Amino acid sequence: MNVRYADWTCGHCGGPLQLCAVKAAYMGSEFELELPGCPACGLYLVFEELALGKMLEVERLLEDK
């Protein structure tokens, strides 16, 4: 996990975040990535740089098809 976020905890239950394999789906395509998440709550943290970088790029590519 990014060292910058290593001490972060879940905003819902307060548990420690762990790297989790996550399946994301958009417009019929599925992607697997690792994100920090709470195993107890099933909530995941999507870093701003990922959301506004690679994820936005893939979203635009899929919408242009």
Side-chain angles (χ1 to χ4, degrees):
M1 180 175 347
N2 187 325
V3 174
R4 187 168 131 196
Y5 304 99
D7 294 334
W8 285 34
T9 57
C10 175
H12 185 70
C13 73
L17 299 184
Q18 300 175 0
L19 270 182
C20 304
V22 178
K23 285 188 179 179
Y26 186 73
M27 295 184 68
S29 297
E30 289 189 6
F31 311 92
E32 189 165 319
L33 56 154
E34 284 193 334
L35 294 174
C38 178
C41 297
L43 299 175
Y44 302 97
L45 172 65
V46 178
F47 300 117
E48 182 178 6
E49 55 266 21
L50 176 62
L52 298 177
K54 192 69 172 179
M55 289 179 117
L56 182 59
E57 180 182 327
V58 170
E59 179 183 334
R60 287 181 178 154
L61 288 171
L62 290 172
E63 290 178 354
D64 287 343
K65 282 187 177 180

